[in-house]
Amino acid sequence: MKRIGLLTSGGDAPGMNAAIRAVVRTAIYYGMEVYGIERGYAGLMTEELYKMEMRSVSNIVQCGGTKLRTARCMEMLTKEGQKKAVETIKKYGIEGLVVIGGDGSFRGARVLSEEYGIPTIGIPGTIDNDLEYTDYTLGFDTAVNTCLDIINKLRDTMTSHERICVVEVMGRHCGDIALYSGIASGAEIIVVPEIRFDLEEIVTKINRSRASGKHSNIIVVAEGVTSADQFAKNLQSVTTFSVRPTCIGHVQRGGSPSMADRMLAAQFGNKAVRLLKDGIGNRAVGIRDNKIIDMDIIEAVSMKKTFNLELYETLQMISM
Ligand code: F6P
């Protein structure tokens, strides 16, 4: 394979730039050309692409966001959109494609592989960690660390005022950001889409913690359940402790990637290009049990995400 395309798609995630760098540098190492496609599948349809060189990716390993920019492209769900994308691929002599993105982006990659025979490799880039086939997605670690930084600060002021804070985190339908940031910040309660919650039980737990000498409480709520505002209102109507909501929002999507995300990016990007170089397409790269893996992209997108109940139970036992 002599020429490959590269795009980032869907919500951005810290580490995408580091992955772009790894793809470009690995491809150049193997004597391949890389065309960077701007604005994801949308840019593929409108021919917004350019040849990337060694220096095109200098000084980006530490940057959040994505140099190639990104978009959520509904047109990629239509036959016309897909045909336009394929036309550009053919016109520029692109023989294989690397797609960095989440669930939705992988579905586009699957169509290009399966229906149009374009060898495509998916790199999981999303803060949500909602892909079952990989233990971690690119950006998740940094996003959780950002949440931790904010929750630590909230804990200070909540303790001074003896309040309860309801913190809303992202994750779409997946509770992983809430689970990991809840455990790692010492939050007393997490509320996730995967587990039914009971407001009365939450109040009982808060009362118990206060009776044992605690001066504040943190409840991390995943956006897939409800908003911090709504949850705080409901809770305030059944407790005398003062409740305050905070929605972390898009702050958790930005920022310099953590060491863990930069390492994943380097390995995912490198692996993706090595697969294409060997003529292997239609794979999704990931990490499982600390090993970089690749699997059929169609299988990868069809796996249903499971929730880590053991971690959830751990939180119940150690956070009180
Ligand atoms: O998929 C990443 C994500 O940040 C989700 O956690 C969130 O629900 C969504 O994207 C927000 O999307 P947007 O930036 O388009 O509002």
Side-chain angles (χ1 to χ4, degrees), residues 241-258:
F241 298 115
S242 167
V243 186
R244 291 289 185 276
T246 291
C247 173
I248 298 184
H250 285 79
V251 173
Q252 69 207 283
R253 281 244 299 268
S256 184
S258 63

Side-chain angles (χ1 to χ4, degrees), residues 166-188:
V166 178
V167 188
E168 178 188 328
V169 297
M170 282 185 170
R172 212 178 282 272
H173 307 296
C174 179
D176 276 21
I177 298 180
L179 177 65
Y180 283 67
S181 57
I183 291 181
S185 68
E188 287 74 32

Side-chain angles (χ1 to χ4, degrees), residues 38 122 153 156 230 247 258 295 317:
E38 296 182 310
K153 290 176 172 132
D156 292 342
Q230 191 54 55
C247 173
S258 63
M295 73 176 293
M317 288 184 224

Side-chain angles (χ1 to χ4, degrees), residues 61-73:
V61 71
Q62 76 279 23
C63 299
T66 158
K67 184 186 167 72
L68 289 172
R69 302 199 301 281
T70 185
R72 298 192 194 282
C73 179

